[in-house]
Amino acid sequence: MRHTPPRVALFATCLVDLYRPTVGFAAIKLLKEAGCTVVVPEGQTCCGQPAYNSGDKADAQDIARSVIALLEPYDYVVVPSGSCGGMIREQYAALFAADPEWKLRAERLGARTFELVSFLVDVMGMTGVEARYEGMATYHDSCSGLRELGIKGQPRALLATVAGLTLAEMEDAEVCCGFGGTFCVKYPDISVRMVSDKVERIRATGADTLLAGDLGCLLNMAGRLQRLGHTVRVRHVAEVLAGMTDAVPPIGEGQARQGGAR
Amino acid sequence: MLTTSPAFKQNATTALADAGLQKALANAKAGFMQKRARAVAALPEFEALRDLGRDIKNHTIAHLDFYLDTYARNVEAEGGKVHWCETADDARRAVVEICRSVGARTVTKGKSMIGEELGINEHLEAAGIEPIETDLGEYIIQLRKEPPSHIIAPAFHLNREDWIEAFREKHTELAPGRVLDERKTLIDEARTILRSRFLAADVGITGANMLIAETGSSVIVTNEGNGDLTQTLPKVHIVLASIEKVVPTLEDACTILRLLARSATGQDFSTYTTFSTGPRRAPDLDGPAEYHVILLDNGRTSMIGTEFQEMLRCIRCAACMNHCPVYGAVGGHAYGWVYPGPMGSVLTPSLIGVDKAGHLPNASTFCGKCESVCPMKIPLPKMMRHWREREFERHLSPSAARFGLGVWAWFARRPWAYRLATRIGAGTLGFAGRKRGRFGSLPLAGGWTGGRDMPAPEGETFQARYARLRKQGLV
Amino acid sequence: MAALEQDARGRMLGRIRRGLRRGELPESVASGLVERLKAHPRNLIPARSKLPRAEQVALWKANIEKEYGTVALAASEAEIPGLVADYLASQNIPAVVRLAPDPSITSLPWHDRPLLSVAAGRAEGTDVVSVTPCFAAVAETGTMFFPSGPHHPTTLNIVPETQVVVLRQSRIVGAYEEAWDMLRREHGTVGDGPTGTRFMPRNVMLVTGPSRTADIEQTIELGAHGPRRVHVILLQDEQP
C-alpha cells in the first residue's frame, strides 16, 4: 500500500467541461474513493485532438505544449475519455517526433496519463464501487479507448458491482458509432448511417440504458436514439459508477422528465 | 482508370441510397469478418507472424534496390524478361507491344489490381486486342462494364439477381429460357464459356501477389484456378507487378502466405498458390514460350523515405476494407479509384495526387479497426492523418472547416478566452435546452442535426462549477 | 528499347536509393544479403504440424478433407489402378484417364483394369481425368506441391475436371519450408544466378483441394475453373 496518496490531475476534456460537468464531478468522486488526491489544474482547455486530426499540426503542437506544461507537476493525469486520454498518452509523443526535448516531455507525461476507468482498475486496483442503478445497461466500447488503450474489461468489471444493474452485451460493441470528431459533421450521411446501425444493435439488447466512456460517442448515439424517438437512457459510465445519476438527467433529456434534479 | 474520388461525398450519398448495394454489403461484410476471426483464433502464432511479416517487408524495402536487382537477374537467368516501367504509360506500352509481337487477338486475364491501375483493358481494346477477364468476379464486372468495388472480391457490390441479369443479357448464344437461379448454375455457365476462351487465348496476363528475389519467381494466389489456366495455356505469360511485391526468399514468402489467406478470406491457405519461374523449358510439354514481367513504379519510389513508406508493406489482403465501417456503409465504388477502403485512402493520394483524392483520408473516424487487423501492421490511421497534414499545409482542406478549427484552436491556446467563451456558450445552450434536454436543429450545426438531435449541455461549465464549489468549500 | 530499359532500371533503382538516402549498397552489406538468400532462414513455423509421425499424417488428411479433397488409402502400388477405377465409377465419371508421364505413375499395373482407358501426356481441353504424382504434401494445411517438369505437365493439375493424386505417405511433411528444402535437395544444381544455385522448376503449384469461388454472394461453390474434384490415393509406403 502507498503511504502518501497520489496527486492526480483531472483533465476534464472540453466536451465534459462544456456539456457534462457531472462527469467531471463523478470522476473526482471515484478518484477520491480510490484514495487519490485530486487536483483540477486551472487553465485547462482542450487536448488539441480536433486540430491534430484535421492536419493542423502547428496548432496541435502549441496546444500540446501548454497541456504538457500544465499537467507535468502531478503524479498522474486522469482523463474521463479514452479518446482524449489516448491523445495525451499515445499521440503527443508522435506529434513531437522531430523535437527531442518536447518528445521526451510528452513521453514522460504520456506514461503517467490514463483514462479514468482503466486508471481506477489497473493502477489503483479498484475492484468494486458503492453505487446503485436500477436498470439493464449495454456498454459501447469507444474506439480509442478500446484499440489505443486496451480498455474492455475494466468498465465491465466495475459495472458488475453496481447494485441493481444488469449488463447486456450488444452485438458489434467494438464497432465505431460513427462519431469520429469532425467526421460526423464532414460526412454526416455516412456518420448517421453508422450510428443508425449502432442504434439497431443497442435496441436489439432490450437494454434501457446505454453507457460508454467517451462523451463524443455518447452525444452522437443519444442524438440518434432520440431523433428516432427511442427512450434509452444514455449516460457516461462514470456517472453510474459514482452513483451520481440523480444529479443530472440522462444525456439529451430535459429536466422536465427528471423532475428538476440537482 | 478515370477517377471519381473528388466526388466521394456525392458518391457516398448515392451509395447509401442504393438498396441493391446495401443488400449486397450487408450480406458480404459479416461473413468476411467472422471467417477471419475464426482462422486467426485457430493459429496461436498469428500475432507473432504479423510482427515477422512486418519485419520481412521492412527489411526488403530498406534494401529494395538490392532485392529488385537480384530478382530481375534471376528472372533473366531463367530466360524471362523484366520490363522496368516507371509510369503507367510505359507499362501499357510494354504490354501492348508484347501482345502485338505475337500477333495476339485475345488475351485472358487473371485478377490484377495493377491491371486496374493501368486501365490495361481499355488500352488493349484500343489496340484491337480483346481482353477477357477470367476471375468470376472480374468477369461479371467486365460484362457490366464497371470497375471492381473490392480488391479481392471485385463483385462485392452485386447480388445473385445482378449475375442472372448480366448472364442472360450477354450470353446470347445460350437458350434464353434456361434456368439460372442457383449460384452453381451460374458458375457452371461461366466455366463453360470461359473454358473455350482459355484454350484460344494468345497471351495470358496475371498479377503477382509476390516476387521472390532468391529464385526470380512470381507468385499468384487464387481459389478458382483461373490464374493457372491463364498463365499455362497461352504462348505468352505477362506478369503485372509493382516493385513493392518483392520478398527475399521462399521462406519469407511462406511467412506472408500464412498471413495472407487468413486475413483475406479466412482460409488457412488459398486453394492455388503458384510459383512461376521463367518460360517453358526445353523438355516441358506445356507452359508459355515467353515469360515477361512488367515491373511497375508509377509513383511508388516517391513514397520511399516519406511518412508513407510503410504503405509499401501492403499485401492487398483487403482485411482493412472488410472491417471498415465506412467501406461497409458505402462500398468500394464511392472511393472513386482502383483501391477502396483504408488502404486506398492512404495509397490513392500517393498515386493520383491528394488534390484529387483528398476526401479519402478524411472520410475516416480513425476508429483504428483497420490497423488492428492489418497483417502487415500498417498504421493506416496515422498515415491518413499525414495526408490531412499535407492537405492542411497546402490549403486544400475546405475553408469553412479550416476557419472553424482555427477559431477553436485560438481559444484552446488561450485559457482565459476559452473560459469566457465556453461559459457563455454552455450557459446559453444549457438555458435554451434545459426543458427538453436537446435541440432538433441549431444554427450552423446542420451536419449534426440533419440526422441526430443535439443534446443540450448542463449549463454551467465544469470548470466554472468546480471553481464555485471550491470557493464554497464543497469539493 | 534495350538501352532505354536499362535506363529505366537505373532510374528506378536510383530513385529507391535517393528515397533511402544512400547510394549503392557497400559490398559488405550486399554480400550479407546474398548470404541471407543462400541461407534462406526459416522464420516462424507454427507448432501445429510438429507432431509424432502418425498424427502428422492424420493432420494432413484431416486438413485436405476439410478443404473438400477426398482420400483413399492404398496398401500397395498394385491397388492403385483399382482404386482409381472404383473412384471414377462411384462418381459416374468416364473411365478415360490422362496419366502424368512419370514412371512412378505409368509403371503402375493399369492393364489390370482393361476398362480403364489410359494415355500419358499433358492435358488437353477434352481430358476429364488426370492422374498425377505428388512431390510433397504439407500437414499444416493439407497443401500438395506439384512441381512442373517433363514428367509432370502443369495442365494435368488444372485442365481436367477431376484430378487423382497419388501421394506416397513418406512425402508428407509438416510445413511448407520442409517441402522447399526437399525441392532444393532433390532438384538443386549449380546455376549462374546471383545465389549460385538453381532448383525452381518452371512452375510449382501448391494445391489445397478442388477449385472454388465465393464471388457470388461470398458463398463458396466448388469447381470454378479448375478441377471440381481432387481425390488423393495415399500410398502407405512407411512402416508403422
Side-chain angles (χ1 to χ4, degrees), chain B residues 17 54 56 65 150-151 174 202 206 223 299 341 390 401 424 473:
Chain B
R54 175 200 57 204
I56 289 167
D65 51 339
H150 189 280
I151 62 171
L174 300 174
D202 304 298
T206 68
N223 279 314
R390 295 246 180 133
I424 295 169

Side-chain angles (χ1 to χ4, degrees), chain B residues 60-373:
Chain B
T60 311
I61 296 164
H63 306 99
L64 190 58
D65 51 339
F66 170 85
Y67 284 119
L68 279 179
D69 189 60
T70 304
Y71 164 75
R73 281 160 58 207
N74 274 326
V75 173
E76 286 151 9
E78 294 289 357
K81 185 157 169 47
V82 179
H83 305 257
W84 297 73
C85 296
E86 298 178 82
T87 65
D89 253 342
D90 294 345
R92 292 187 280 247
R93 250 198 316 274
V95 171
V96 170
E97 212 167 286
I98 297 163
C99 291
R100 281 193 174 139
S101 72
V102 293
R105 285 171 307 156
T106 63
V107 170
T108 43
K109 277 190 67 208
K111 210 182 81 57
S112 158
M113 292 314 296
I114 299 299
E116 300 294 333
E117 198 177 314
L118 300 177
I120 194 66
N121 287 1
E122 295 93 273
H123 284 266
L124 288 168
E125 281 165 5
I129 301 158
E130 185 193 357
I132 300 143
E133 294 288 354
T134 63
D135 171 271
L136 288 177
E138 288 283 346
Y139 177 65
I140 180 84
I141 63 169
Q142 189 183 27
L143 291 185
R144 289 167 54 93
K145 300 191 194 318
E146 61 184 353
S149 66
H150 189 280
I151 62 171
I152 65 160
F156 198 80
H157 58 292
L158 297 180
N159 298 297
R160 199 187 315 183
E161 305 85 85
D162 305 310
W163 287 77
I164 296 170
E165 188 188 315
F167 278 23
R168 285 212 190 283
E169 190 189 323
K170 304 287 179 175
H171 295 166
T172 48
E173 63 273 43
L174 300 174
R178 68 198 185 279
V179 178
L180 257 185
D181 46 355
E182 298 293 320
R183 278 186 292 269
K184 185 169 179 353
T185 342
L186 290 163
I187 288 161
D188 284 350
E189 181 165 315
R191 179 184 174 112
T192 308
I193 289 195
L194 285 170
R195 184 51 76 99
S196 61
R197 314 304 303 267
F198 279 124
L199 293 166
D202 304 298
V203 174
I205 299 180
T206 68
N209 290 82
M210 281 185 268
L211 306 172
I212 316 262
E214 174 196 5
T215 57
S217 311
S218 55
V219 184
I220 59 166
V221 176
T222 78
N223 279 314
E224 296 180 3
N226 65 307
D228 291 286
L229 288 163
T230 298
Q231 67 184 18
T232 305
L233 297 175
K235 297 188 281 281
V236 178
H237 176 200
I238 302 177
V239 179
L240 305 179
S242 50
I243 53 170
E244 79 279 16
K245 295 286 176 195
V246 72
V247 297
T249 65
L250 292 167
E251 279 71 10
D252 296 323
C254 285
T255 298
I256 290 169
L257 287 168
R258 286 188 176 101
L259 292 162
L260 177 60
R262 290 182 172 92
S263 301
T265 55
Q267 291 170 283
D268 288 347
F269 212 64
S270 298
T271 308
Y272 300 106
T273 300
T274 304
F275 296 71
S276 297
T277 312
R280 177 195 291 214
R281 296 181 188 168
D284 284 351
L285 302 179
D286 56 19
E290 292 181 30
Y291 176 84
H292 297 267
V293 180
I294 305 295
L295 197 55
L296 180 70
D297 179 345
N298 203 27
R300 287 166 175 79
T301 50
S302 64
M303 293 164 70
I304 298 172
T306 73
E307 58 266 65
F308 303 109
Q309 176 171 321
E310 290 181 275
M311 191 60 214
L312 297 174
R313 291 205 298 267
C314 177
I315 56 172
R316 306 291 190 267
C317 71
C320 61
M321 62 196 75
N322 289 341
H323 291 77
C324 175
V326 174
Y327 180 95
V330 302
H333 286 156
Y335 291 80
W337 199 59
V338 176
Y339 302 103
M343 56 78 62
S345 296
V346 174
L347 188 61
T348 305
S350 288
L351 301 185
I352 68 170
V354 73
D355 50 330
K356 292 195 193 71
H359 267 302
L360 308 188
N362 280 285
S364 162
T365 63
F366 285 163
C367 81
K369 187 69 187 175
C370 50
E371 181 176 358
S372 77
V373 296

Side-chain angles (χ1 to χ4, degrees), chain A residues 45 59 186-187 191 193 224, chain B residues 22 359 412-413 451-452:
Chain A
T45 62
D59 274 332
K186 277 197 285 186
Y187 300 95
S191 175
R193 165 59 196 283
R224 186 60 185 166
Chain B
Q22 291 301 324
H359 267 302
R413 285 188 319 240
R452 288 163 283 226

Side-chain angles (χ1 to χ4, degrees), chain A residues 81-102:
Chain A
S81 154
S83 174
C84 311
M87 177 74 190
I88 301 174
R89 189 177 165 86
E90 305 288 331
Q91 303 300 328
Y92 274 12
L95 201 47
F96 294 111
D99 182 340
E101 186 208 322
W102 278 99

Side-chain angles (χ1 to χ4, degrees), chain C residues 90-111:
Chain C
S90 75
Q91 302 292 313
N92 283 319
I93 299 168
V96 182
V97 174
R98 181 69 64 180
L99 303 181
D102 183 302
S104 76
I105 299 295
T106 50
S107 68
L108 295 171
W110 297 104
H111 46 80

